[in-house]
Amino acid sequence: MGFLATVWHDERQRIALVSVGLAAFLSAMKLLWGVLTGSLGIISEGLHSSLDLTAAIITFFAVKEARKPPDPEHRYGHGKIESFSALIESGLLFLTCAWIIYEAVSRLFFKDVHVEVSVHSFLVMGISIVVDVTRARTLRRAARRFRSLAFEADALHFSSDVLSSAAVILGLTALAAGVEIADPLAALAVAGVIIAASIRMGKKTSLELMDTAPKEIVDRVARILRETPGVEGFDQLRVRTSGITHFVDVTIAIDRTCSFEQANQISRTLEARIKQEVGDADVVIHATPIALPREDLALKVRMLARNFPEIIDLHSMYVQEVGGRYVVEAHVSLEGNLPLARADAIAKAFEEKVRRDLVEVQEVLTHIDAVSPFQGSGEEITGQASELIEQVRQVVEP
């Protein structure tokens, strides 16, 4: 009772369990009446429903397992089990078709089987159609809502039952009119419907198992990337689906002048928009700083200065054009306690990097400014040291 109570309170498992019960009812009803009347069409439908029962059971357990959270052995969760179960269901349908085709061909050319047609046969198939239509609609809605391939495959089973049941009714009608070959022909029609549906589902599940990127989701994410302020470009956009979760991995380009906090904010905004647009999504964003075409030469020089941690500041910069190229002059602020030789080496290395990285620069002139290591530390006592200030003034003034 505890197990059933748990299942019944979970909407996805409840839908799957109801499908199991209805598939069991339909398969038992069709097989029993098909054997009693000898109708291959009804027997084939019964076998079809038996496979539906097997598929519904697989769907139930697949939906249950897919709900499990990621663990150390399944970092992306357990959603792929739904795709795997749908593929198994497609294979089971093919096996059913093989038997139906074999028996239909035998009855057409090699065996003479008497089929009893009665009102009850039509009643059985009519009940089947009503149940199949109801469950197919319910499962299709659940498939769209939960983005579940397992539910979609189950809906396909019930939908194909509707078409094949209709084919059997036509066959029984023709048989009642004296057309003996109508029953095996109806069975072949059932097999054709099942094969076509199985091929479609098998292709879809195979693509998902192979991590084929869903085009619709890729297009949505690409549109969001192009529309999000601060995203200057993107590449390596990868999308894979596991169950109801879309895994999105993308590298975005951002202005290299952005601060770390600004870059982080752009990434958070982008992640939120993707999740809002595509639903359940696991988003990983890699941000790469790039130089934008709109950067002027002074900004490029300042960005190069960031490669030198010893440079505290770059100020009083002047850029002059000489013969189509540029001369850059700037003051470089370094720690005042650095040895002179070391400070000179840093300035020369900076000049060399500017000339090497910026081909439009002809010459770089730097002036070293010493920043006191005590700047900004200690207690401000200027107002209390008037005597000392006066002594300094007398020394420096002529």
Side-chain angles (χ1 to χ4, degrees), residues 302-335:
R302 291 185 185 280
M303 296 303 299
L304 289 177
R306 293 186 178 183
N307 293 278
F308 298 85
E310 302 90 346
I311 297 180
I312 299 173
D313 187 29
L314 197 67
H315 61 94
S316 302
M317 185 186 306
Y318 299 94
V319 178
Q320 295 180 327
E321 183 179 357
V322 179
R325 299 183 69 191
Y326 298 93
V327 175
V328 178
E329 184 176 355
H331 288 250
V332 178
S333 297
L334 303 173
E335 287 281 358

Side-chain angles (χ1 to χ4, degrees), residues 196-264:
S198 300
I199 290 174
R200 289 195 302 271
M201 179 53 63
K203 180 180 178 181
K204 186 171 185 176
T205 54
S206 297
L207 291 175
E208 183 164 315
L209 286 170
M210 294 174 64
D211 286 334
T212 302
K215 186 178 184 304
E216 180 185 358
I217 302 301
V218 172
D219 291 342
R220 288 187 194 176
V221 174
R223 175 176 53 80
I224 294 170
L225 288 165
R226 287 190 290 268
E227 294 175 352
T228 301
V231 178
E232 304 295 340
F234 64 91
D235 59 8
Q236 297 182 12
L237 173 57
R238 293 178 290 187
V239 180
R240 66 189 295 267
T241 301
S242 180
I244 64 172
T245 304
H246 299 296
F247 292 87
V248 181
D249 189 342
V250 64
T251 298
I252 63 172
I254 60 173
D255 187 349
R256 62 175 179 169
T257 63
C258 288
S259 66
F260 176 79
E261 180 58 34
Q262 288 173 320
N264 193 38

Side-chain angles (χ1 to χ4, degrees), residues 12 65-70 74-83 143-149 208 211-214 217 221 238-249 274-275 278-284:
R12 298 180 71 197
E65 290 297 310
R67 300 280 285 173
K68 291 183 177 179
H74 306 88
R75 299 289 183 178
Y76 291 96
H78 300 76
K80 287 289 185 184
I81 193 170
E82 290 201 23
S83 304
R144 288 193 296 268
R145 179 178 175 185
F146 299 111
R147 292 204 306 275
S148 170
L149 270 180
E208 183 164 315
D211 286 334
T212 302
I217 302 301
V221 174
R238 293 178 290 187
V239 180
R240 66 189 295 267
T241 301
S242 180
I244 64 172
T245 304
H246 299 296
F247 292 87
V248 181
D249 189 342
I274 292 174
K275 288 183 175 180
V278 305
D280 189 351
D282 186 305
V283 184
V284 177

Side-chain angles (χ1 to χ4, degrees), residues 72-349:
E73 293 183 351
H74 306 88
R75 299 289 183 178
Y76 291 96
H78 300 76
K80 287 289 185 184
I81 193 170
E82 290 201 23
S83 304
F84 186 63
S85 71
L87 189 63
I88 292 175
E89 292 176 29
S90 299
L92 291 175
L93 286 174
F94 273 112
L95 291 178
T96 306
C97 292
W99 183 87
I100 293 174
I101 293 172
Y102 169 78
E103 186 66 19
V105 171
S106 297
R107 292 196 180 191
L108 280 172
F109 300 105
F110 306 108
K111 293 193 299 185
D112 185 15
V113 179
H114 173 70
V115 179
E116 179 183 344
V117 181
S118 68
V119 175
H120 296 90
S121 298
F122 291 96
L123 181 62
V124 166
M125 300 313 300
I127 293 173
S128 173
I129 289 177
V130 172
V131 174
D132 287 334
V133 168
T134 303
R135 290 312 301 163
R137 287 178 177 175
T138 301
L139 288 166
R140 273 196 293 269
R141 286 196 296 267
R144 288 193 296 268
R145 179 178 175 185
F146 299 111
R147 292 204 306 275
S148 170
L149 270 180
F151 278 148
E152 188 175 341
D154 221 12
L156 180 60
H157 279 278
F158 281 97
S159 297
S160 62
D161 274 358
V162 174
L163 296 176
S164 55
S165 295
V168 170
I169 289 176
L170 289 175
L172 291 174
T173 302
L175 191 61
V179 182
E180 294 294 332
I181 63 171
D183 186 55
L185 288 178
L188 288 175
V190 171
V193 170
I194 299 173
I195 289 175
S198 300
I199 290 174
R200 289 195 302 271
M201 179 53 63
K203 180 180 178 181
K204 186 171 185 176
T205 54
S206 297
L207 291 175
E208 183 164 315
L209 286 170
M210 294 174 64
D211 286 334
T212 302
K215 186 178 184 304
E216 180 185 358
I217 302 301
V218 172
D219 291 342
R220 288 187 194 176
V221 174
R223 175 176 53 80
I224 294 170
L225 288 165
R226 287 190 290 268
E227 294 175 352
T228 301
V231 178
E232 304 295 340
F234 64 91
D235 59 8
Q236 297 182 12
L237 173 57
R238 293 178 290 187
V239 180
R240 66 189 295 267
T241 301
S242 180
I244 64 172
T245 304
H246 299 296
F247 292 87
V248 181
D249 189 342
V250 64
T251 298
I252 63 172
I254 60 173
D255 187 349
R256 62 175 179 169
T257 63
C258 288
S259 66
F260 176 79
E261 180 58 34
Q262 288 173 320
N264 193 38
Q265 182 59 48
I266 292 171
S267 296
R268 288 199 301 266
T269 300
L270 185 57
E271 180 180 355
R273 290 195 62 191
I274 292 174
K275 288 183 175 180
Q276 182 180 11
E277 178 73 20
V278 305
D280 189 351
D282 186 305
V283 184
V284 177
I285 299 172
H286 312 269
T288 301
I290 63 168
L292 301 179
R294 60 176 176 266
E295 289 184 358
D296 59 22
L297 183 58
L299 178 57
K300 293 178 181 179
V301 173
R302 291 185 185 280
M303 296 303 299
L304 289 177
R306 293 186 178 183
N307 293 278
F308 298 85
E310 302 90 346
I311 297 180
I312 299 173
D313 187 29
L314 197 67
H315 61 94
S316 302
M317 185 186 306
Y318 299 94
V319 178
Q320 295 180 327
E321 183 179 357
V322 179
R325 299 183 69 191
Y326 298 93
V327 175
V328 178
E329 184 176 355
H331 288 250
V332 178
S333 297
L334 303 173
E335 287 281 358
N337 58 358
L338 282 176
L340 180 60
R342 174 60 181 158
D344 183 61
I346 292 170
K348 288 182 177 178

